Amino acid sequence: MSSWPRPAGTIGDIRLVRTNLGAARLDPRDCPTKRGSDARPMLVPDPNPPEHGERLQDFTLKVFMDALDLIEHEGNDLEWVIGELQRTKGTFGLYRRREAHPLLLSWSAEAVRRYLAARVADQSARQAAHLPLSVPVRDMWVLGQDPGPVDERGVDTYEMTAWGRRYAALDGSTRELWLLSFGAAKEDRPKAEKAAAAYVAARGRPAGGGWRKRHIPVPFHELPQFRTALPEKVRVIEFGCGDGKHNELLDWNRYEARQHFTAEGWPALRQAIDGTGTHPGSSCVDCKALSGCSALPRTPELLRITSPERKRPRRSLSVTDLRAYRDCPAKYHATRQLKLRSAKPESPEVRRGRVVDDILNQRHGITPYQACQVLPGPVDPASWGAGVLHLSGKEALDGAAMLEQHAFYCPLDGLAAEEEVRVQYQAVCYDPELDLILIATPDLLHTRRGGWIWRETKTASRYLYEGESLLSRYPQLALGVVMLAAGVLGGDVTRSRVELELLHTDDVTFEELDPSRPGTVDEARDVIAQLAQPWVEDQDYSANPGRYCSSCEALEWCHPGIEHLATKKEGPR
């Protein structure tokens, strides 16, 4: 009898446990049951859903990794590979590869060049320091065991993997694992993740296979000695595909790798393996146990849109997705699906809004909760910030004034002690007909006399226009209305409200919406449907150059957008 309860809605063998670096991160937003299920690759959904594929490649690093394989393992010339990348639209003629969007092709080509330059710089620095150099290895490093007795979890085999680019010194003394980020290189990673990465690099053996089954070790006699030797030293390097920078996260001997794994890595992985309990959120999209999950509210026909003719894989949808798609389908695909964003600085208004938002989240998250009126403002209103973001001058003064304005409308003022407060909480529901996970993250949720209050707080540089539709202007309010009306959060709908708080430097615009009023709900559904219907059908995500190009986070990879701005700058001829 296993101590890990098999989730409802799943079948299959649970005797194999496999963890990766993602399991070591223990993101608090993830669902424990989802983590535990992911760690058991032979566990499958019941019933097993039909396979539906997207037309475009949506694994951001697939083109990048395939290109590097052709260069590092096949010995092809960089320029030839970049040419093939463009000619084949990222498939390289390989089996079961989907074509990539033009933006992903541009991004991948740049990232490949940056990566190879970083490798040259790193190896040159090591050569100058008389340290061992490394060469690429194809092998997947797997740390595992042959099947043994079944333990209290019902497991007879444990495996660990670490995805990235792998290298080894020709004398077998050193192994390197390069970890990849889409944007800027991370300065650091969680201790547990680094420990797991180092331990796999230090102890992993070359292996193949592994798709919903145990890995198969590669016989040592088929490989040169440097690829099978366990190293004395391991390095883990962070590379930022967006900025081309690389940071050495660790350089440990094999004993240090074991110590860190024992102290930091295994406790985190064990927590992931033993995870139980549910936490609906974005991880529901590819959860094996979704069909049997009672924690995820079902809301059929919530959106009132027509299903696409061609079936799609399960997807998530938020108002942020819909706004990005409304601006430009290519922008949505690049920034929301592929998570590609330029490293260019944010506008002062966006930066100010983020800092004010962070401060309010910190204040509202204090337990026991307190009204913002009793909390002090910035010590120096002309210079303050939150986290790594700092405001100064007029930016800071305007932000401090907005915090002061909020204090008069803080929803925690006078709230009874027994009420519940949730800051940046993910409200989630599932439309089974559309196979969509709908996600909203209001700034603040709290109960009040049996109802739920959904508060959206925004910093504003202008006032609402008279006669402007509030729900059309802020579609996140529309999604809040339909979710509350559908009972996603529970509570008494007649006592629930969606609130908008627009912070100005000298005033506050405050509006309320009643989710129990049929007219309000109908308008909210129409707003969401108008945004979602074209999105649900689209599989090409063509660029739509226009007014949003200049502020688009994906502009540097978008040739139509660049050409549009160049033409606009030149003016009519």
Side-chain angles (χ1 to χ4, degrees):
M1 185 70 179
S2 169
S3 62
W4 185 76
R6 182 195 302 271
T10 62
I11 58 173
D13 198 334
I14 64 170
R15 289 177 296 174
L16 170 64
V17 159
R18 178 184 301 144
T19 55
N20 55 25
L21 299 188
R25 295 184 198 121
L26 292 180
D27 189 329
R29 295 169 296 182
D30 288 344
C31 173
T33 291
K34 166 72 160 53
R35 279 199 298 253
S37 299
D38 284 349
R40 292 160 172 84
M42 296 193 292
L43 188 74
V44 296
D46 181 29
N48 208 0
E51 289 192 13
H52 301 301
E54 295 284 11
R55 196 185 74 76
L56 293 175
Q57 179 61 256
D58 55 4
F59 178 18
T60 306
L61 290 170
K62 175 56 74 177
V63 177
F64 170 84
M65 294 293 271
D66 286 345
L68 286 177
D69 286 347
L70 289 171
I71 295 168
E72 293 189 330
H73 303 319
E74 303 294 337
N76 290 295
D77 175 72
L78 167 63
E79 295 306 323
W80 180 85
V81 169
I82 297 299
E84 286 296 287
L85 180 152
Q86 299 291 349
R87 185 183 70 81
T88 66
K89 298 182 180 179
T91 69
F92 298 107
L94 297 171
Y95 178 63
R96 297 190 72 178
R97 296 297 196 270
R98 286 171 280 162
E99 291 183 357
H101 192 281
L103 271 75
L104 180 57
L105 296 178
S106 297
W107 180 88
S108 299
E110 289 182 15
V112 167
R113 295 182 189 278
R114 289 168 174 164
Y115 183 83
L116 294 175
R119 274 283 299 163
V120 169
D122 177 78
Q123 294 296 286
S124 296
R126 288 183 67 78
Q127 185 175 35
H130 305 291
L131 295 170
L133 304 184
S134 61
V135 295
V137 294
R138 292 178 179 269
D139 315 310
M140 176 181 293
W141 294 327
V142 179
L143 197 157
Q145 63 182 39
D146 294 329
V150 175
D151 64 13
E152 70 280 358
R153 294 188 182 93
V155 177
D156 65 13
T157 306
Y158 290 85
E159 294 181 350
M160 289 174 52
T161 62
W163 191 83
R165 303 297 301 180
R166 295 171 293 274
Y167 303 87
L170 289 174
D171 62 4
S173 64
T174 307
R175 280 183 181 176
E176 298 171 2
L177 180 65
W178 285 57
L179 305 181
L180 309 169
S181 296
F182 297 161
K186 295 182 176 70
E187 294 296 327
D188 204 358
R189 288 187 181 236
K191 290 182 179 180
E193 183 180 3
K194 291 190 297 183
Y199 199 53
V200 171
R203 304 277 297 178
R205 299 286 189 175
W211 172 247
R212 291 188 176 177
K213 59 184 179 180
R214 293 169 177 82
H215 282 98
I216 302 172
V218 178
F220 280 10
H221 68 271
E222 297 181 5
L223 298 174
Q225 190 272 340
F226 82 93
R227 285 166 62 181
T228 60
L230 295 181
E232 292 295 325
K233 299 275 286 185
V234 293
R235 301 175 69 218
V236 175
I237 296 98
E238 165 77 20
F239 173 74
C241 296
D243 64 3
K245 295 180 181 179
H246 66 288
N247 301 318
E248 184 180 81
L249 300 180
L250 61 89
D251 182 353
W252 295 340
N253 62 41
R254 60 184 179 184
Y255 302 106
E256 289 173 312
R258 174 183 283 276
Q259 290 170 353
H260 282 280
F261 179 73
T262 301
E264 297 149 0
W266 176 240
L269 294 179
R270 183 174 58 208
Q271 186 175 335
I273 293 167
D274 293 336
T276 59
T278 52
H279 185 181
S282 55
S283 58
C284 293
V285 173
D286 58 351
C287 181
K288 302 173 186 179
L290 183 138
S291 67
C293 180
S294 59
L296 178 63
R298 267 64 172 175
T299 53
E301 300 182 358
L302 183 75
L303 297 187
R304 289 185 180 173
I305 61 177
T306 305
S307 298
E309 291 185 8
R310 178 177 174 178
K311 292 293 185 182
R312 311 283 289 272
R314 184 181 302 134
R315 295 186 289 170
S316 65
L317 178 63
S318 70
V319 168
T320 305
D321 294 329
L322 292 177
R323 285 201 306 257
Y325 184 86
R326 179 184 60 188
D327 293 350
C328 171
K331 172 185 175 180
Y332 159 77
H333 179 63
T335 62
R336 301 300 298 171
Q337 287 191 306
L338 302 176
K339 311 300 182 186
L340 302 180
R341 293 181 177 86
S342 171
K344 65 181 181 181
E346 295 173 316
S347 69
E349 292 79 12
V350 170
R351 185 170 56 249
R352 182 193 64 199
R354 286 184 59 196
V355 172
V356 170
D357 189 53
D358 285 350
I359 293 294
L360 291 179
N361 290 338
Q362 293 173 24
R363 291 181 170 187
H364 295 156
I366 295 173
T367 52
Y369 54 79
Q370 303 178 57
C372 288
Q373 277 188 332
V374 303
L375 298 173
V379 175
D380 181 359
S383 180
W384 60 282
V388 297
L389 294 177
H390 188 82
L391 304 179
S392 59
K394 185 178 185 302
E395 239 185 330
L397 292 170
D398 286 349
M402 289 175 173
L403 289 177
E404 186 176 355
Q405 294 298 327
H406 165 80
F408 296 105
Y409 281 84
C410 179
L412 305 187
D413 186 16
L415 191 66
E418 65 270 15
E419 302 289 6
E420 184 177 354
V421 176
R422 299 177 182 178
V423 180
Q424 291 286 308
Y425 176 82
Q426 278 194 341
V428 185
C429 59
Y430 176 54
D431 186 323
E433 297 299 321
L434 296 170
D435 205 12
L436 281 179
I437 305 291
L438 286 99
I439 301 174
T441 311
D443 293 308
L444 188 66
L445 281 169
H446 68 86
T447 56
R448 188 169 64 201
R449 297 191 299 276
W452 278 99
I453 309 303
W454 179 303
R455 172 69 69 95
E456 297 285 357
T457 301
K458 306 297 174 191
T459 58
S461 55
R462 71 169 180 84
Y463 289 88
L464 291 172
Y465 294 130
E466 186 175 350
E468 183 177 21
S469 167
L470 197 61
L471 294 173
S472 296
R473 172 71 179 169
Y474 297 101
Q476 60 266 49
L477 304 177
L479 187 54
V481 166
V482 297
M483 280 190 166
L484 288 178
V488 170
L489 296 175
D492 184 346
V493 177
T494 63
R495 293 179 177 269
S496 298
R497 293 290 183 273
V498 173
E499 299 175 343
L500 172 66
E501 175 189 5
L502 281 183
L503 297 176
H504 311 283
T505 56
D506 58 353
D507 196 6
V508 176
T509 300
F510 187 81
E511 301 284 348
E512 282 187 329
L513 295 161
D514 184 350
S516 68
R517 295 185 61 182
T520 302
V521 176
D522 286 342
E523 183 187 354
R525 283 180 170 158
D526 287 344
V527 166
I528 298 298
Q530 288 172 15
L531 291 171
Q533 188 64 63
W535 170 86
V536 81
E537 299 279 358
D538 196 353
Q539 293 203 71
D540 297 320
Y541 307 117
S542 300
N544 182 25
R547 58 180 291 200
Y548 298 105
C549 286
S550 60
S551 60
C552 179
E553 295 169 296
L555 176 65
E556 64 185 275
W557 310 294
C558 181
H559 296 301
I562 293 171
E563 292 172 3
H564 167 76
L565 291 179
T567 302
K568 183 179 177 181
K569 186 175 182 180
E570 292 173 3
R573 296 184 180 182

